[in-house]
């Protein structure tokens, strides 16, 4: 890095309400069109395009063009980590809207945090891993045990493949609704991907929430989590 980090610029980028809402939507790790984002945050398409352009200039989002449509997503998980950390230290706002209250409890129950699972179900799963000694947690760091490797293989997760992901294999990630850890890192990403591929969860269209399916309920009941 050539020069000092411009933290003031970063805080200015986050100070705009619409821009912050766009980033929050993109925390689900998926690609979204300008119109889809605009509908969710209730602003005009051209306003959304302006904010996305600003975010793209700062390398916070990336785009993919297919036909007439341009799709956007976060450029890397560090942006999602930044937002999640800000949620953990920010004061809460009282919810007076029925729809906002409904959305909050959907997110609290289960949601995507970029490429891993967050919310109550994720925190309970992390606690299960620690209780079963599949993970050893010390000084806010987690280590996967030999029994843990066998467990993840038993639920169709290739730990060797997960180790190839950038960053840590196992990362305790502080959950902003539960104030406890859920599973991040390469293993958290692999677990989230497996849950989707096996149809244990489905991702909501209008927010980052996830819904546990019937087969997913059976799966999570194996760990007394659903």
């Amino acid at each position: 890095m050539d020069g000092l980090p411009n933290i003031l610029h970063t805080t200015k980028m986050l100070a705009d309400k619409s821009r912050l809402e766009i980033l929050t939507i993109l925390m689900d790790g998926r690609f979204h069109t300008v119109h889809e984002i605009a509908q969710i945050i209730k602003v005009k398409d051209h306003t959304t395009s302006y904010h996305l352009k600003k975010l793209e200039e700062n390398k916070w989002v990336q785009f993919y063009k297919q036909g007439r449509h341009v799709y956007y997503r976060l450029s890397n998980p560090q942006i999602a980590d930044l937002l999640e950390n800000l949620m953990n230290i920010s004061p809460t706002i009282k919810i007076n809207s029925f729809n906002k209250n409904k959305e909050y409890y959907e997110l609290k129950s289960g949601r995507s945090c970029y490429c891993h699972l967050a919310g109550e179900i994720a925190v309970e799963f992390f606690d299960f891993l620690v209780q079963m000694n599949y993970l050893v947690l010390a000084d806010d760091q987690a280590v996967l045990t030999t029994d843990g490797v066998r467990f993840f293989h038993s639920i169709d997760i290739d730990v060797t493949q997960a180790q190839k992901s950038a960053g840590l294999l196992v990362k305790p990630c502080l959950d902003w609704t539960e104030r406890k850890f859920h599973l991040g890192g390469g293993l958290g990403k692999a677990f989230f991907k497996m849950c989707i591929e096996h149809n244990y969860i489905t991702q909501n269209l209008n927010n980052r929430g996830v819904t546990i399916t019937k087969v997913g309920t059976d799966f999570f009941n194996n760990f007394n989590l659903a």
Side-chain angles (χ1 to χ4, degrees):
M1 182 173 62
D2 185 17
L4 298 172
N6 190 343
I7 299 176
L8 181 60
H9 175 75
T10 299
T11 57
K12 286 181 178 178
M13 288 289 293
L14 293 169
D16 185 274
K17 181 175 180 292
S18 295
R19 200 174 296 152
L20 194 55
E21 287 179 340
I22 290 170
L23 289 169
T24 304
I25 291 167
L26 297 180
M27 283 178 71
D28 66 3
R30 292 180 289 183
F31 279 106
H32 295 267
T33 66
V34 171
H35 184 64
E36 288 169 346
I37 296 170
Q39 284 190 312
I40 295 172
I41 67 174
K42 296 179 172 56
V43 299
K44 300 292 186 181
D45 284 15
H46 66 83
T47 303
T48 303
S49 292
Y50 167 79
H51 289 303
L52 285 166
K53 181 66 175 175
K54 285 287 186 184
L55 293 168
E56 195 271 327
E57 287 173 355
N58 284 271
K59 297 182 172 55
W60 286 23
V61 301
Q62 58 183 204
F63 66 89
Y64 174 77
K65 192 169 184 179
Q66 182 169 286
R68 295 187 301 108
H69 298 291
V70 180
Y71 298 83
Y72 289 87
R73 72 174 178 184
L74 293 184
S75 59
N76 63 69
Q78 289 180 314
I79 307 301
D81 289 344
L82 170 65
L83 294 169
E84 189 83 7
N85 288 332
L86 286 172
M87 291 173 182
N88 279 315
I89 66 172
S90 298
T92 57
I93 302 172
K94 185 177 179 180
I95 302 173
N96 296 314
S97 162
F98 173 81
N99 289 334
K100 286 289 184 183
N101 192 61
K102 179 175 178 289
E103 180 182 33
Y104 170 75
Y105 281 101
E106 287 176 354
L107 296 176
K108 178 178 171 61
S109 175
R111 65 185 182 278
S112 58
C113 181
Y114 195 62
C115 292
H116 56 263
L117 189 64
E120 290 174 340
I121 192 70
V123 165
E124 290 171 358
F125 181 68
F126 187 90
D127 287 345
F128 164 81
L129 296 175
V130 173
Q131 290 164 10
M132 297 299 293
N133 201 41
Y134 297 150
L135 292 181
V136 175
L137 186 64
D139 299 324
D140 296 339
Q141 301 294 318
V143 177
L144 182 67
T145 66
T146 302
D147 286 342
V149 173
R150 284 194 287 264
F151 166 74
F152 278 100
H153 277 297
S154 75
I155 60 171
D156 200 26
I157 291 178
D158 186 342
V159 174
T160 302
Q161 189 64 34
Q163 287 175 320
K164 297 178 182 179
S165 295
L168 298 172
L169 173 64
V170 180
K171 179 184 177 183
C173 185
L174 187 60
D175 196 283
W176 72 269
T177 58
E178 307 311 300
R179 296 298 194 268
K180 295 175 67 179
F181 291 127
H182 60 245
L183 183 62
L187 199 56
K189 181 178 179 180
F191 179 69
F192 183 62
K193 181 180 178 183
M194 182 276 293
C195 287
I196 293 174
E197 290 177 345
H198 286 67
N199 197 37
Y200 295 152
I201 59 173
T202 58
Q203 293 180 272
N204 297 351
L205 296 177
N206 296 324
N207 58 44
R208 294 190 292 128
V210 300
T211 300
I212 301 176
T213 64
K214 184 179 184 302
V215 66
T217 299
D218 294 339
F219 170 73
F220 283 109
N221 271 339
N222 290 324
F223 322 121
N224 295 318
L225 301 178

